[in-house]
């Protein structure tokens, strides 16, 4: 878990730098949960961190997110849209332990396609002022492919250390499964 914690620190520093740089164009705040209306699956190393955080919640809050996790499973089975089961009153119940993808949401992401093309993506609520996107520069973007590669390598190390088979248990776990297994 130490490698994962170190990566989280790097991501948090990057997010803080980008937030400081683009602050006037970012509307992300407590209660803004637009990016939380998906049911994510995350790597085993992140699942362990999320599971630990869920265990530390109060009994009442844990019971609430467990109910929500069951509802998410049911709604998904019916093909209905779902929100993250960790969302409580439009705020993340484990904010300090949220996965890396959640830590970078809303920020400008540099996405590199296999064909070499590059694009910048960000929350549609951010950078809405006329000319705001003109201020985007490569030195102030989240290098998504590099970040994902680092996370995959940390996960591989974690899986090997824990004796997990990356092809099955070490690959990805849904948030609802993590909650219900905690």
């Amino acid at each position: 878990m130490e490698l994962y914690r170190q990566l989280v620190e790097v991501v948090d520093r990057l997010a803080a730098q980008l937030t400081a740089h683009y602050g006037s164009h970012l509307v992300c705040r407590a209660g803004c949960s637009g990016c939380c209306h998906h049911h994510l699956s995350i790597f085993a190393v992140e699942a362990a961190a999320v599971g630990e955080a869920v265990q530390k919640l109060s009994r009442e809050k844990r019971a609430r997110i467990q109910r929500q996790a069951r509802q998410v499973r049911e709604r998904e089975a019916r093909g209905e849209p779902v929100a993250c089961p960790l969302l409580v009153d439009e705020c993340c119940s484990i904010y300090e332990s949220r996965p890396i993808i959640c830590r970078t949401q809303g920020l400008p992401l540099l996405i590199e396609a296999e064909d070499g093309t590059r694009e910048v993506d960000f929350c549609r609520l951010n950078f809405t002022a006329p000319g705001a996107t003109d201020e985007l520069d490569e030195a102030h973007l989240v290098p998504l492919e590099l970040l994902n590669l680092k996370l995959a390598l940390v996960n591989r190390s974690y899986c090997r250390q824990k004796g997990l088979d990356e092809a099955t248990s070490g690959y990805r776990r849904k948030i609802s499964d993590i909650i219900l297994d905690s």
Side-chain angles (χ1 to χ4, degrees):
M1 290 301 289
E2 185 55 33
L3 287 175
Y4 176 69
R5 287 185 182 95
Q6 289 173 8
L7 181 58
V8 166
E9 288 176 14
V10 168
V11 170
D12 284 350
R13 280 194 302 274
L14 174 62
Q17 290 168 356
L18 295 180
T19 299
H21 186 77
Y22 294 121
S24 64
H25 299 295
L26 304 176
V27 297
C28 305
R29 63 184 166 14
C32 181
S33 63
C35 59
C36 304
H37 290 271
H38 300 88
H39 186 205
L40 300 175
S41 62
I42 56 178
F43 282 125
V45 67
E46 291 190 289
V50 167
E52 287 175 10
V54 168
Q55 284 298 315
K56 293 177 183 175
L57 295 173
S58 69
R59 183 173 299 187
E60 295 80 23
K61 191 169 276 189
R62 199 168 51 247
R64 179 172 176 179
I65 65 169
Q66 286 170 337
R67 280 191 307 276
Q68 291 176 179
R70 284 188 288 278
Q71 291 169 347
V72 162
R73 279 184 174 174
E74 293 167 6
R75 292 185 71 192
E76 267 188 331
R78 294 189 303 261
E80 298 174 7
V82 296
C84 178
L86 292 168
L87 198 58
V88 173
D89 300 325
E90 300 305 314
C91 292
C92 180
S93 59
I94 61 157
Y95 186 80
E96 293 302 317
S97 300
R98 69 199 183 283
I100 287 178
I101 189 171
C102 303
R103 293 169 185 275
T104 60
Q105 284 297 315
L107 298 173
L109 307 171
L110 176 62
I111 301 170
E112 299 181 50
E114 287 183 27
D115 67 0
T117 59
R118 298 156 60 114
E119 68 178 75
V120 176
D121 190 27
F122 47 82
C123 174
R124 63 178 176 76
L125 300 176
N126 294 333
F127 299 97
T128 56
T133 57
D134 296 342
E135 294 182 35
L136 294 169
D137 67 276
E138 195 165 324
H140 296 96
L141 302 173
V142 175
L144 191 59
E145 305 309 317
L146 179 60
L147 183 58
N148 286 339
L149 176 61
K150 288 180 179 183
L151 178 56
L153 291 171
V154 167
N155 187 64
R156 173 177 276 176
S157 175
Y158 174 82
C159 288
R160 286 183 177 162
Q161 183 183 38
K162 296 293 184 180
L164 300 173
D165 178 10
E166 282 184 86
T168 56
S169 61
Y171 188 61
R172 301 191 75 81
R173 294 196 58 211
K174 289 202 169 216
I175 296 283
S176 59
D177 295 337
I178 298 162
I179 292 168
L180 295 172
D181 292 345
S182 295

